[in-house]
């Protein structure tokens, strides 16, 4: 009898198709980005230079350096043509922005045709003469795009310094915000009503977590200690002996029982002695049986569950509890505040400054 042919599917090996290599950037778009980067950089350079030379600071510095005539020549001769050139730059940027908007509408780049000015808000605002410094955002966007494509727009050291000081600025700003929030929250805790409301709401929302945490600690710490009493013969014998002695002492200190027993002639003293010994033995047996039953694993776990549930559902109108929780919150805020005040950037060996 011939065997059926083996399916090719069972013998085929899974081959991983290599992902296609990334597409090279469009040369026209890349060249256009570089061109716009140069144009906007020149525009910003001229704007900054003109603003500095037309300021009162430049006048004072020129007077101190005895070059007032040169500065006056610039202000009277170069300033107006430079402003005119800035106007042409602005017209060019407005036209360029409008053309890109039309292209985005034609290509349906955005969900709605009017989304373009909102996405490129910094370019729209940068077209106004009073907000021309916003054109710097366009330079940053183009530079970042070129950097992602692998073109080194700025030296690596400059990039590291920019990132470093940017991290410093963000860290200091966020630290100030967090410290202000902590100070405001600490101030609210001084109000008794606000403090009571915070404690009540905190405990009410987390009763299930409190019960689970208390039960976990009881199971981890208390149950093993109690079960050691069951497994430790020395401790168990001590408890049983003490209970037996207590019952024996109780029988011995019962005058009515002793009087009735001694009324029995001849055997009264013997019966009394045996009765005390029997009471001692009964006490030991009862103590051992009670210990054995109470320290059973299931009974202990049920007892710990009841204890944890009682602690989690305790009444919050307790001055000692309020003091404890307020102290814990204050200590937590102090620890968080101390951690926030640590300037992490000082521990970074990013730059050799």
């Amino acid at each position: 009898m011939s065997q059926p042919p083996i399916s090719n599917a069972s013998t085929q090996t899974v081959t991983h198709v290599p992902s296609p290599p990334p597409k090279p950037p469009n040369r026209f778009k890349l060249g256009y980005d570089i061109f716009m980067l140069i144009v906007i950089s020149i525009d910003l350079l001229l704007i900054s230079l003109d603003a500095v030379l037309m300021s009162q600071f430049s006048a004072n510095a020129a007077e101190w350096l005895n070059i007032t005539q040169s500065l006056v020549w610039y202000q009277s001769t170069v300033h107006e043509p430079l402003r005119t050139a800035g106007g042409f730059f602005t017209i060019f940027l407005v036209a360029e922005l409008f053309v890109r908007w039309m292209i985005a509408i034609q290509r349906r780049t955005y969900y709605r045709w009017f989304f373009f000015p909102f996405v490129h808000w910094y370019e729209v605002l940068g077209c106004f003469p009073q907000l021309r410094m916003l054109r710097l955002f366009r330079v940053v966007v183009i530079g970042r795009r070129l950097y992602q494509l692998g073109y080194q727009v700025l030296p690596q050291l400059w990039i590291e310094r920019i990132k470093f000081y940017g991290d410093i600025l963000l860290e200091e700003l966020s630290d100030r915000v967090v410290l202000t929030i902590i100070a405001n929250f600490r101030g609210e805790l001084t109000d008794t009503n606000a403090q009571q409301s915070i404690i009540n709401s905190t405990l009410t929302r987390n009763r299930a977590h409190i019960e689970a945490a208390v039960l976990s600690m009881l199971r981890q710490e208390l149950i093993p200690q109690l079960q050691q009493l069951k497994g430790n013969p020395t401790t168990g014998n001590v408890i049983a002996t003490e209970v037996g002695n207590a019952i024996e002492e109780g029988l011995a200190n019962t005058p009515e029982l002793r009087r009735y027993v001694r009324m029995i002639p001849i055997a009264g003293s013997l019966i009394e002695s045996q009765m005390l010994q029997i009471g001692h033995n009964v006490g030991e047996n009862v103590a051992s049986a009670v210990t054995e039953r109470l320290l059973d694993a299931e009974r202990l776990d049920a007892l710990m569950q009841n204890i944890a549930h009682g602690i989690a559902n305790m009444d919050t109108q307790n001055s000692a509890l309020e003091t404890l929780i307020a102290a814990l919150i204050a200590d937590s805020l102090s620890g968080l505040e101390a951690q926030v005040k640590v300037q992490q950037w000082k521990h970074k060996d990013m730059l050799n400054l």
Side-chain angles (χ1 to χ4, degrees):
M1 183 176 181
S2 61
Q3 296 180 352
I6 300 176
S7 175
N8 293 332
S10 61
T11 58
Q12 287 180 350
T13 58
V14 178
T15 58
H16 297 280
V17 180
S19 57
K23 296 181 179 181
N26 187 288
R27 291 187 177 183
F28 174 77
K29 189 174 181 180
L30 179 62
Y32 182 75
D33 284 342
I34 296 175
F35 170 73
M36 291 302 301
L37 181 65
I38 296 173
V39 169
I40 298 176
S41 299
I42 294 174
D43 182 31
L44 292 175
L45 179 62
L46 295 179
I47 292 173
S48 303
L49 181 63
D50 185 67
V52 170
L53 293 179
M54 295 299 295
S55 64
Q56 184 62 35
F57 170 77
S58 297
N60 296 334
E63 184 178 357
W64 182 66
L65 296 174
N66 199 18
I67 55 173
T68 306
Q69 295 181 353
S70 300
L71 182 61
V72 171
W73 174 83
Y74 170 82
Q75 293 177 349
S76 61
T77 306
V78 181
H79 172 63
E80 288 301 326
L82 202 60
R83 287 187 60 184
T84 304
F88 282 114
F89 274 115
T90 301
I91 294 173
F92 170 74
L93 292 177
V94 171
E96 184 263 348
L97 181 65
F98 181 77
V99 170
R100 288 196 294 119
W101 189 0
M102 294 299 103
I103 294 175
I105 293 174
Q106 182 182 5
R107 295 181 177 178
R108 301 180 182 275
T109 305
Y110 301 104
Y111 185 70
R112 289 289 186 268
W113 65 270
F114 53 85
F115 280 13
F116 182 88
F118 292 99
V119 175
H120 301 270
W121 59 270
Y122 51 90
E123 298 183 48
V124 175
L125 295 179
C127 293
F128 294 93
Q130 295 81 2
L131 302 174
R132 287 181 295 182
M133 293 308 297
L134 288 177
R135 299 171 188 176
L136 182 62
F137 281 91
R138 178 82 182 278
V139 175
V140 174
V141 171
I142 295 175
R144 183 172 179 272
R145 186 185 304 139
L146 294 175
Y147 180 79
Q148 291 176 343
L149 292 175
Y151 295 93
Q152 194 73 28
V153 180
L154 296 175
Q156 187 64 30
L157 181 61
W158 290 18
I159 296 176
E160 292 178 356
R161 286 181 181 273
I162 292 173
K163 290 182 179 179
F164 180 73
Y165 289 114
D167 291 340
I168 292 176
L169 179 61
L170 292 177
E171 181 179 349
E172 293 297 330
L173 290 176
S174 61
D175 288 352
R176 298 286 79 77
V177 172
V178 173
L179 291 176
T180 302
I181 295 174
I182 292 175
N184 294 335
F185 187 69
R186 194 189 298 275
E188 292 181 0
L189 288 179
T190 57
D191 185 6
T192 306
N193 295 329
Q195 178 178 331
Q196 181 65 35
S197 176
I198 293 173
I199 293 174
N200 290 338
S201 61
T202 302
L203 291 178
T204 302
R205 289 196 305 268
N206 296 279
R207 290 189 188 277
H209 299 289
I210 295 173
E211 182 176 349
V214 172
L215 180 59
S216 176
M217 289 188 292
L218 291 176
R219 286 173 173 172
Q220 182 178 353
E221 301 294 336
L222 187 57
I223 289 181
Q225 297 294 331
L226 293 175
Q227 287 181 337
Q228 285 183 0
L229 299 177
K230 179 180 178 181
N232 191 343
T234 303
T235 306
N237 293 335
V238 170
I239 295 176
T241 302
E242 292 297 326
V243 173
N245 292 336
I247 294 178
E248 183 180 354
E249 184 178 353
L251 293 175
N253 292 331
T254 306
E256 294 82 0
L257 182 62
R258 296 183 63 187
R259 185 171 59 252
Y260 291 142
V261 171
R262 288 181 180 180
M263 291 176 62
I264 301 174
I266 302 173
S269 299
L270 179 62
I271 292 174
E272 180 182 3
S273 176
Q274 291 296 323
M275 184 181 62
L276 295 178
Q277 183 63 38
I278 291 172
H280 182 86
N281 294 336
V282 169
E284 289 184 348
N285 294 333
V286 169
S288 299
V290 170
T291 303
E292 183 73 21
R293 293 177 65 85
L294 290 180
L295 297 183
D296 181 69
E298 294 183 359
R299 289 188 174 88
L300 277 179
D301 192 73
L303 177 62
M304 297 308 158
Q305 290 180 12
N306 292 331
I307 294 174
H309 182 73
I311 294 175
N313 292 275
M314 57 188 169
D315 185 14
T316 57
Q317 301 295 331
N318 187 297
S319 59
L321 178 63
E322 293 176 3
T323 304
L324 173 62
I325 295 180
L328 292 176
I329 294 176
D331 290 342
S332 300
L333 292 177
S334 299
L336 178 61
E337 191 175 21
Q339 182 64 30
V340 170
K341 288 181 179 179
V342 176
Q343 295 175 315
Q344 300 293 336
W345 59 269
K346 291 185 177 180
H347 303 281
K348 297 178 181 178
D349 298 329
M350 295 177 59
L351 299 173
N352 296 321
L353 300 176

